[in-house]
Amino acid sequence: NAGVTQTPKFRVLKTGQSMTLLCAQDMNHEYMYWYRQDPGMGLRLIHYSVGEGTTAKGEVPDGYNVSRLKKQNFLLGLESAAPSQTSVYFCASSQGGSGANVLTFGAGSRLTVL
Amino acid sequence: QKEVEQDPGPLSVPEGAIVSLNCTYSNSAFQYFMWYRQYSRKGPELLMYTYSSGNKEDGRFTAQVDKSSKYISLFIRDSQPSDSATYLCAMLNTGTASKLTFGTGTRLQVTL
């Protein structure tokens, strides 16, 4: 019963490098989300998906791309990392639809861009 | 102005105290109101949620929503050191593809 698993947990990049964060959920949830969390800014939505093969922009999508080729996986890509992308990234999933839309979060991925 | 405002703290209280955590909001379309707890270096986890106005109780935790004042509260009775965490309020307008709007979080420290 893993819930939401994020890999890697930590990563250090140099400016201009690329990388992909992987999120996997085993709850058969329809919706998946990528957030970033910065001091004083709270959780900000980067991109989200309401089903396999769909993606949509959130509040702060610039500099990131996502893909949802399989229902259980949601990938977040940084094509050319910048120091402003230093943050803690959280993936979340939910059943979606009507109602409270309770999110289950992963443990986070800490990214530092030098 | 942010849609959801939350005092970042930190809030320090002695063990056994009653804690009050609050958020204000500006969007009258919000219908679900949630509280998430986040321990250091962990992901947020849902504590409880309420629909529309009113109170909801779960053990030592009580959530209150006052839609007329656009104000929500989380009360923690008999606070314990294990309650030390950051508490995030979150709100949902069901017409926005189920996207939550989060407060910035209040850091709580319960001391022995």
Side-chain angles (χ1 to χ4, degrees):
Chain A
N1 189 17
V4 177
T5 303
Q6 294 182 229
T7 52
K9 288 184 170 50
F10 302 93
R11 184 73 186 269
V12 178
L13 288 178
K14 294 181 180 178
T15 297
Q17 287 184 320
S18 63
M19 74 159 297
T20 300
L21 297 176
L22 172 63
C23 177
Q25 53 98 359
D26 62 1
M27 297 169 286
N28 201 35
H29 282 168
E30 288 293 331
Y31 289 24
M32 296 186 75
Y33 308 81
W34 276 106
Y35 288 88
R36 60 178 290 174
Q37 187 175 40
D38 303 288
M41 304 293 290
L43 284 163
R44 292 183 291 168
L45 183 63
I46 304 171
H47 286 280
Y48 65 101
S49 167
V50 298
E52 181 179 318
T54 75
T55 62
K57 293 179 180 179
E59 182 185 355
V60 288
D62 294 342
Y64 305 94
N65 57 76
V66 288
S67 65
R68 181 110 181 262
L69 299 179
K70 293 183 178 181
K71 185 176 183 178
Q72 64 267 34
N73 295 336
F74 195 28
L75 278 64
L76 178 71
L78 285 73
E79 289 187 347
S80 179
S84 61
Q85 294 177 303
T86 293
S87 187
V88 181
Y89 292 85
F90 287 99
C91 177
S93 70
S94 73
Q95 200 58 269
S98 61
N101 192 38
V102 174
L103 269 61
T104 301
F105 283 87
S109 297
R110 280 171 171 72
L111 175 65
T112 301
V113 182
L114 301 175
Chain B
Q1 183 188 3
K2 294 180 180 177
E3 276 192 297
V4 179
E5 298 278 359
Q6 186 174 10
D7 188 329
L11 178 62
S12 183
V13 301
E15 183 179 8
I18 296 174
V19 176
S20 173
L21 303 167
N22 311 294
C23 289
T24 59
Y25 64 95
S26 57
N27 187 347
S28 58
F30 288 137
Q31 296 171 302
Y32 286 91
F33 303 88
M34 303 163 187
W35 287 95
Y36 282 81
R37 178 176 61 194
Q38 185 176 21
Y39 290 114
S40 181
R41 297 188 171 273
K42 301 289 186 183
E45 56 179 349
L46 181 73
L47 264 179
M48 55 198 307
Y49 72 87
T50 55
Y51 174 71
S52 193
S53 283
N55 294 359
K56 186 172 185 178
E57 188 173 320
D58 184 1
R60 296 185 295 110
F61 299 89
T62 299
Q64 285 186 351
V65 174
D66 182 349
K67 292 193 76 175
S68 62
S69 301
K70 296 189 178 67
Y71 188 87
I72 71 170
S73 301
L74 177 71
F75 297 97
I76 307 174
R77 290 185 300 280
D78 187 25
S79 56
Q80 303 295 310
S82 59
D83 295 327
S84 298
T86 296
Y87 291 80
L88 303 159
C89 63
M91 305 182 189
L92 174 65
N93 172 1
T94 56
T96 57
S98 299
K99 290 181 290 181
L100 295 180
T101 302
F102 284 88
T104 53
T106 300
R107 189 158 61 91
L108 171 66
Q109 182 72 39
V110 180
T111 57
L112 292 170

